[in-house]
């Protein structure tokens, strides 16, 4: 059972989300405005579902506001489909997105896929050149400096470094990181890799290589 927060100004959608996820055994709290979320309670949640288009504070703004203090996955619920919209969402700190209208099976699959990832336990480190992966804490360091990655960005880096030198397509990375039944699409992986590269570039490094026509590898 997980504690889930759903924020959407459409009360009908909130009701559908709450019923579907509670049927899976989760505890679901809802809010129809970002302003109604009690920020002191955010650390209690295992996953947050966040609508993009809301009055007053929109989902992108709210995500940016809470991302540094929230460690759980954040999934956007959005009717926006443009690449620029998705880019803005991932840049705000989202781990994934669900397009409206969505099916209950898609909602449940994506939520449960992210929750399974959160329950994994690791007890070691991976060192690759000047990069140090703290597997138990899910933190990436360059030398001794922590690189601020979202959970999805970290998981992609860890997967690639565990299979260093091997090339994976977007679809393969999606399946290995999110799970076969996650319901996401490969555009999410492309945007995450774009963000990862921007963050690693600040360290003067670019370990994720594009193999044109095939995919990506950690070199």
């Amino acid at each position: 059972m997980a504690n889930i927060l759903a924020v959407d100004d459409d009360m009908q959608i909130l009701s559908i989300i709450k019923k579907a996820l509670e049927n899976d055994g989760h505890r679901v709290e809802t809010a129809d405005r970002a302003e109604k979320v009690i920020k002191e309670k955010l650390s209690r949640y295992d996953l947050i579902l966040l609508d993009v288009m809301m009055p007053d504070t929109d989902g992108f703004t709210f995500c940016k506001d809470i991302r540094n203090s929230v460690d759980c996955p954040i999934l956007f619920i959005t009717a926006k489909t443009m690449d620029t919209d998705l880019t803005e969402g991932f840049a705000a700190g989202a781990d994934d997105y669900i397009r409206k209208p969505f099916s209950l099976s898609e909602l449940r699959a994506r939520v449960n896929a992210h929750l399974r990832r959160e329950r994994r336990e690791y007890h070691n480190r991976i060192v690759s050149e000047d990069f140090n992966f703290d597997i138990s804490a899910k933190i990436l360091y360059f030398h001794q400096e922590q690189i601020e990655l979202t959970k999805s960005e970290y998981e992609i880096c860890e997967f690639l470094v565990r299979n260093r030198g091997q090339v994976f397509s977007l679809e393969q990375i999606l399946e290995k990181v999110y799970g076969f039944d996650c319901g996401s699409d490969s555009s999410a992986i492309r945007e995450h890799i774009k963000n990862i590269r921007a963050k690693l570039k600040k360290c003067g490094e670019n370990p994720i290589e594009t193999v044109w026509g095939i995919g990506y590898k950690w070199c």
Side-chain angles (χ1 to χ4, degrees), residues 29 56 58 75 86 89 127 143 185 197 206-207 217:
E29 295 183 25
D56 300 323
D58 63 54
L75 281 63
L86 300 179
V127 177
H143 294 300
D185 61 56
R197 283 174 162 168
N206 184 24
K217 67 176 180 179

Side-chain angles (χ1 to χ4, degrees), residues 36 81 90 125 139 149 151-152 159-160:
K36 292 185 179 181
T81 58
F90 288 122
R125 288 176 177 261
I139 296 174
L149 300 175
K151 287 189 175 294
S152 291
F159 168 70
L160 291 176

Side-chain angles (χ1 to χ4, degrees), residues 152-189:
S152 291
E153 291 167 0
Y154 174 84
E155 293 281 0
I156 291 169
C157 289
E158 183 186 313
F159 168 70
L160 291 176
V161 81
R162 283 181 179 272
N163 298 277
R164 183 175 180 177
Q166 186 173 346
V167 182
F168 294 92
S169 68
L170 290 170
E171 291 74 16
Q172 288 173 320
I173 298 172
L174 177 71
E175 179 180 338
K176 297 295 184 180
V177 173
Y178 287 169
F180 181 76
D181 60 347
C182 72
S184 299
D185 61 56
S186 58
S187 62
I189 301 298

